[in-house]
């Protein structure tokens, strides 16, 4: 390790909590468990996807303390939507930096800045699901896990396929200036009980939106609902994969939820399950299948709309995630590539695309869809792109 090594054990030096108000006052609690007092302690803040701090402040050199600092006017305009704070200890020539902690911004829980001015954040989530994971993290930091569970239980992203769409509402798009890092594991998810409780709430939320929203779109087959269908499709994909990365959602559950999304988006499904001593049958139309049936006299319209919203790329991206998670090259009969996993769902996607007069999504279409999920680093995306090159 070099003298300027940044990382140390995350428990050695850490920010316990950090809250930034709209006046630029940043209040932090911090502590360290180093064998001896360091030469100095400092607070560092950065935009979440940047490795270099924007600003640092000296802190009282104590084992645990609390300090409020002011963000300078020169720094304030440089702050992005998501911020992280870390504690830095200097010991001789060594610089030890603890694991970053989310900076909670209560004033951004309800209102966030947008290109067109202020907007109601909760309303945006209810309309499209945009920003849901970020909001849940901030809600947990300020009000606790139970508040997150209750919010998920009561949240219903609105269904509309034309007549209910609000005037001027644009489709769900994640912008480059709104980064999100899934590898910062929130402290409020520290216990197994918390992870299990959140996992149950997430699964219930996703399954409810599959049954009441996505399947309703599939049954109606209205092209005017394409934006809303994809908003919900992307939201649930992003939410469950992020929490799979955090160890909350198990791999089997993740794969099951994603493949059900693929089924609903393409040719539908029919399943028979046993509940106690009775059997239960479930089925759903496929959205692409229904669109092709309803628009068979105007397939050019169908193709144009689906291409403009990259429907095929988004469905392929969800399937690819399930394949990458499932693939285990150490298994005796494992396919040679993740692309060999879930062959039935691959075939169903191809069938649905052919019925709609659409081509298999290009690599760039699939990669664009993966970037829209906004939980992947570029080096990870490069590896996934290599998998797609074999198609």
């Amino acid at each position: 390790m070099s003298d300027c090594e940044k990382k140390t054990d995350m428990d050695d030096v850490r920010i316990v909590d950090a809250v930034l108000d709209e006046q630029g006052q940043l209040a932090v609690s911090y502590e360290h468990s180093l064998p001896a007092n360091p030469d100095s302690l400092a607070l560092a803040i950065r935009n979440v996807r940047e490795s270099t701090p924007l600003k640092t402040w000296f802190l009282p050199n104590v084992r645990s303390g609390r300090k409020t600092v002011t963000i300078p006017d020169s720094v304030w305009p440089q702050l992005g939507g998501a911020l992280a704070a870390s504690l830095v200890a200097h010991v001789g020539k060594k610089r030890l930096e603890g694991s970053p902690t989310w900076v909670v911004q209560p004033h951004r829980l309800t209102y966030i800045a947008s290109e067109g001015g202020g907007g109601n954040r909760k309303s945006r989530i209810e309309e499209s699901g945009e920003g849901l994971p970020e909001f849940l993290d901030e809600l947990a930091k300020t009000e606790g896990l139970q508040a997150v569970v209750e919010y998920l239980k009561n949240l219903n992203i609105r269904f509309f396929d034309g007549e209910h769409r609000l005037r001027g509402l644009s489709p769900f798009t994640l912008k480059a200036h709104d980064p999100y890092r899934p590898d910062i594991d929130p402290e409020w998810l520290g216990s197994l009980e918390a992870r299990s409780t959140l996992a149950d709430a997430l699964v219930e939320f996703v399954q409810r939106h599959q049954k009441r929203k996505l399947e309703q779109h599939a049954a109606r087959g209205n092209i005017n609902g394409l934006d809303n269908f994809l908003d919900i499709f992307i939201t649930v994909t992003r939410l469950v994969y992020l929490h799979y990365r955090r160890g909350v959602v198990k791999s089997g559950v993740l794969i099951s939820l994603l493949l059900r999304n693929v089924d609903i988006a393409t040719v539908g499904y029919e399943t028979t399950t046993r509940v106690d001593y009775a059997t239960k049958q479930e089925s759903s139309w496929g959205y692409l299948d229904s669109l092709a049936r309803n628009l068979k006299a105007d397939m050019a319209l169908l193709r144009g709309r689906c291409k403009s919203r990259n429907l095929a790329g988004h469905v392929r991206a969800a399937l690819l995630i399930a394949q990458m998670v499932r693939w285990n090259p150490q298994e005796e009969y494992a396919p040679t590539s993740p692309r060999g996993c879930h062959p039935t769902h691959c075939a169903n996607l191809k069938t649905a695309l052919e019925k709609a007069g659409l081509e298999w999504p290009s690599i760039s279409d699939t990669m664009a869809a993966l970037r829209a999920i906004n939980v992947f680093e570029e080096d990870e995306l490069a590896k996934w792109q290599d998998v797609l090159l074999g198609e």
Side-chain angles (χ1 to χ4, degrees), residues 330-364:
Q330 304 304 318
E331 290 182 349
E332 184 176 0
Y333 299 105
T336 57
S337 165
R339 299 191 314 276
C341 297
H342 309 304
T344 300
H345 293 84
C346 285
N348 289 342
L349 175 55
K350 289 179 180 178
T351 298
L353 291 173
E354 289 173 359
K355 285 186 177 181
L358 295 168
E359 298 179 351
W360 187 260
S362 66
I363 293 177
S364 62

Side-chain angles (χ1 to χ4, degrees), residues 124 128 130 165 168-173 227 231:
R124 190 67 179 175
S128 68
E130 182 177 351
R165 190 171 183 84
L169 182 65
S170 59
F172 174 9
T173 55
D227 287 340
D231 285 346

